Structures are given as structure tokens and as C-alpha cells.
Amino acid sequence: MNAEALIDPDDYQAPTTYERFVEDLRRSATAAGKPIIDPRLFARALSMDLQALAADAHVHRVTLTRAQGTEKLQGFLRDALQVLRAATDINGDFRHALFWFRNEPISTFDYLTPEQLVSEGRAQDLVRYLQSLKVGAAG
């Protein structure tokens, strides 16, 4: 295993681009020999504690370390990545998208944050909303 491929989640900082974030997640998965999103790396990039991530994904905290491949957890992480991709596509700034995801309430969705919406299983609604904003801004 290549030492460069190892990423220590405890020291991880969110990169400046979505593409780099996905590459970091891919490198972590390759180094671990598992084709899954590392929840610790994801949480660290979003300045999120593991308890909050477990609550958002509706899994027990222990799942984040002992059963990272659980479909419920991985589904939440994939949905969050999809929303972050769509948000980054609109404004071009990944770090702004991270802040938006965690903190900005959306009036169209009863002032819930994107993080809350993804936790409720409404990622597709949110992506459609973002796509409508993108079309409106372009059209």
C-alpha cells in the first residue's frame, strides 16, 4: 500500500474543489481496499462530529467505525455528495457549498437546511430545486 494514498481523517481539511474532495474519498477507499465513502473523512470535511453524522444518516454512532459499508449510511453519504455536486455546479465554489449545506435554511423547504433535507431522504427534491435555480440563472 502506498503511504501517499493514506489519508488521516483526524488531520483532514476540506479541499477547495468538489473534484478534489471526491478524489480524496476515492484515495481513502482504495487505500482501505473498500469501495465505500469513509464517513470520518466526510464528517471532517464538513466540520461535523460523528454523532451528528450518525444522527443525520439515522444510524448508531458505532456504525461509523464498525459497519461503514451499511447501505443506510452509504446512501446518506452518496445523497449528500450528489447535493454538494449540484450546489457546487451552481456557484462554482465548493467551500461555499459546504457552508450552504450545513447552515442555510431554504424557504421553499420550510426553512430546513440542505443537511436536514438530505437526512429526511429529500435529496432528489433538493437536486431538482438546485437544477431549477441553475436553469433560471442561465435562462
Side-chain angles (χ1 to χ4, degrees):
M1 192 165 10
N2 183 349
E4 279 186 348
L6 298 176
I7 298 174
D8 182 2
D10 293 332
D11 295 328
Y12 188 71
Q13 295 290 320
T16 57
T17 67
Y18 176 85
E19 291 78 10
R20 178 57 195 248
F21 182 46
V22 171
E23 181 57 32
D24 290 346
L25 291 170
R26 186 178 300 116
R27 279 187 16 215
S28 178
T30 302
K34 300 175 187 173
I36 61 172
I37 300 167
D38 183 337
R40 295 171 307 140
L41 200 64
F42 180 90
R44 184 73 178 167
L46 275 81
S47 299
M48 177 183 253
D49 66 41
L50 293 179
Q51 187 63 42
L53 177 57
D56 281 353
H58 304 283
V59 298
H60 191 278
R61 187 174 189 274
V62 173
T63 303
L64 301 179
T65 55
R66 295 192 182 159
Q68 295 178 348
T70 303
E71 183 54 35
K72 197 172 204 180
L73 173 59
Q74 289 297 308
F76 171 80
L77 295 171
R78 284 189 303 268
D79 286 349
L81 283 176
Q82 183 180 27
V83 168
L84 287 168
R85 169 84 263 180
T88 302
D89 284 348
I90 286 179
N91 70 19
D93 186 327
F94 178 60
R95 289 193 174 162
H96 178 83
L98 291 174
F99 181 87
W100 170 83
F101 182 83
R102 299 267 352 253
N103 299 294
E104 291 189 31
I106 302 171
S107 60
T108 303
F109 295 103
D110 295 325
Y111 296 94
L112 294 174
T113 65
E115 179 180 351
Q116 291 168 317
L117 290 164
V118 173
S119 179
E120 288 183 358
R122 298 185 63 193
Q124 293 309 307
D125 295 338
L126 191 49
V127 168
R128 281 191 292 277
Y129 169 76
L130 289 169
Q131 288 171 331
S132 74
L133 291 177
K134 188 175 182 181
V135 169

